[in-house]
């Protein structure tokens, strides 16, 4: 039976570029901090383990197993603290023909089980030279309802959130590295996708290195439930009440009037 009310946290952090060890340490600290606040689900920004500035040549020099220990420790933390975790990270996949990198988000439940690995579907400009694109939009059924995942630029297209909505998503987490120059679109895209699909959206951004912060949780009617600062590291926490979805959908008939 799913819980109608649960507590989520968005870990708005400053990511140390290319410093995997330091970033992982910070991630583990924030998980422990959230657990002390009885948080059920914590989300971190896009590429939280390594940052955005790593080059193609630097990617190729990374050891094959650089992610294995991190993900195993995440699973241990999730199980120990009984908390669901979403982290944007650099995924490496080696085949006989090539070694590919993805801009991904790992989703782990409070038993330490990997529920999903979502890969960024839309790649922004030169990201295409570093990463391979994902090919699906992830929605997972959990004890907190159906949870969708989009990564940053995926939010700038109307289709991904609608697809996840039609798959039953009740809340969509959006790990991001969103710039100051595009801050107005951050607010518009989060609110619009939430309103058009009448669901919760939680956008987790970073600060520093030209990121605009302003992590926020948007309610099903497009209004802001809670918002972080534009410059400070912080753990943004709020209680999600899924009953609000049915209340809003009873008033706004977008989905019942939608021609499929």
């Amino acid at each position: 039976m799913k819980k109608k009310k649960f507590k989520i946290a968005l870990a708005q952090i400053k990511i140390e570029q290319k410093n995997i060890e330091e970033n992982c340490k910070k991630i583990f600290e924030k998980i422990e901090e959230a657990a002390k606040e009885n948080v059920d689900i914590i989300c971190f920004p896009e590429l939280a383990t390594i940052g955005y500035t790593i080059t193609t040549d630097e990617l190729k020099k990374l050891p094959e197993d650089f992610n294995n220990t991190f993900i195993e420790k995440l699973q241990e933390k999730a199980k120990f603290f009984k908390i669901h975790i979403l982290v944007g990270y650099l995924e490496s996949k080696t085949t006989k023909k090539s070694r590919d990198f993805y801009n991904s988000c790992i989703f782990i439940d409070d038993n330490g089980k990997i529920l999903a690995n979502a890969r960024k579907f839309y790649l922004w400009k030169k990201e295409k030279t570093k990463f391979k694109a994902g090919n699906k939009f992830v929605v997972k059924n959990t004890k907190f309802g159906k949870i969708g995942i989009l990564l940053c630029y995926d939010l700038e297209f109307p289709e991904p959130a609608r697809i996840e909505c039609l798959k039953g998503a009740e809340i969509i987490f959006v790990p991001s590295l969103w710039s100051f120059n595009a801050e107005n679109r951050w607010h518009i895209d989060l609110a619009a996708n939430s309103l058009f699909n009448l669901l919760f959206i939680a956008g987790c951004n970073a600060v520093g290195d030209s990121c605009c912060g302003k992590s926020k949780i948007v309610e099903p009617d497009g209004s802001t439930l809670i918002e972080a600062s534009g410059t400070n590291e912080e753990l943004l926490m709020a209680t999600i009440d899924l009953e609000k979805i049915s209340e809003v959908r009873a008033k706004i008939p977008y989905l019942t009037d939608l021609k499929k």
Side-chain angles (χ1 to χ4, degrees):
M1 185 175 178
K2 74 178 182 182
K3 296 183 179 180
K4 290 289 186 179
K5 288 186 179 181
F6 52 93
K7 190 173 184 181
I8 71 172
L10 304 181
Q12 180 170 284
I13 59 173
K14 184 181 188 304
I15 300 165
E16 302 299 327
Q17 299 299 316
K18 307 170 192 176
N19 192 337
I20 297 174
E21 184 177 350
E22 190 62 33
N23 291 324
C24 291
K25 180 182 175 184
K26 185 178 290 187
I27 288 167
F28 298 144
E29 287 173 352
K30 289 295 181 185
I31 290 169
E32 185 169 355
E33 184 181 338
K36 290 177 181 177
E37 297 291 338
N38 297 311
V39 166
D40 295 298
I41 307 173
I42 185 171
C43 180
F44 290 84
E46 178 184 23
L47 295 172
T49 56
I50 204 160
Y52 194 76
T53 62
I54 191 163
T55 65
T56 304
D57 288 339
E58 288 170 330
L59 285 173
K60 293 175 181 176
K61 293 175 184 176
L62 287 171
E64 293 281 342
D65 61 348
F66 74 100
N67 268 331
N68 294 348
T69 303
F70 168 67
I71 291 175
E72 287 170 4
K73 284 187 177 179
L74 269 186
Q75 291 177 277
E76 291 172 7
K77 297 286 185 183
K79 187 174 183 179
F80 181 80
F81 290 113
K82 304 306 294 181
I83 188 171
H84 284 58
I85 302 169
L86 298 100
V87 181
Y89 78 110
L90 174 67
E91 180 189 358
S92 173
K93 194 80 173 176
T94 302
T95 65
K96 290 181 180 179
K97 294 182 179 180
S98 64
R99 185 183 186 196
D100 299 318
F101 294 93
Y102 296 88
N103 184 338
S104 301
C105 175
I106 195 85
F107 184 18
I108 299 169
D109 73 8
D110 56 5
N111 288 315
K113 178 185 175 183
I114 296 175
L115 292 179
N117 185 63
R119 292 168 173 171
K120 192 172 186 178
F121 190 91
Y122 286 107
L123 300 176
W124 172 271
K125 291 186 173 181
K126 291 183 179 179
E127 284 181 4
K128 299 178 189 68
T129 65
K130 294 194 286 186
F131 309 125
K132 287 198 72 175
N135 59 8
K136 61 184 177 181
F137 298 111
V138 172
V139 175
K140 296 302 293 184
N141 196 15
T142 76
K143 64 183 178 183
F144 306 110
K146 290 191 175 181
I147 293 176
I149 305 169
L150 296 176
L151 284 118
C152 201
Y153 193 36
D154 292 338
L155 191 69
E156 299 242 55
F157 297 82
E159 294 85 2
R162 174 54 53 88
I163 289 168
E164 295 198 351
C165 169
L166 295 177
K167 286 184 173 183
E170 294 163 285
I171 178 169
I172 297 175
F173 285 90
V174 190
S176 301
L177 289 175
W178 209 282
S179 71
F180 279 110
N181 291 337
E183 184 182 337
N184 69 312
R185 301 206 309 272
W186 173 249
H187 299 293
I188 292 168
D189 289 340
L190 286 167
N193 279 288
S194 177
L195 175 60
F196 293 157
N197 298 293
L198 307 172
L199 46 69
F200 287 94
I201 292 188
C204 185
N205 196 18
V207 289
D209 298 307
S210 81
C211 288
C212 67
K214 299 285 184 177
S215 297
K216 65 196 298 184
I217 301 166
V218 183
E219 297 196 285
D221 62 359
S223 61
T224 298
L225 174 61
I226 191 169
E227 181 178 311
S229 75
T231 54
N232 299 328
E233 289 191 304
E234 57 186 287
L235 199 62
L236 189 72
M237 295 178 285
T239 298
I240 300 297
D241 183 358
L242 293 182
E243 290 290 351
K244 288 187 177 180
I245 295 176
S246 54
E247 290 172 8
V248 171
R249 290 181 179 181
K251 296 175 184 176
I252 305 175
Y254 292 163
L255 299 177
T256 52
D257 290 344
L258 179 65
K259 295 180 180 179
K260 298 179 183 178

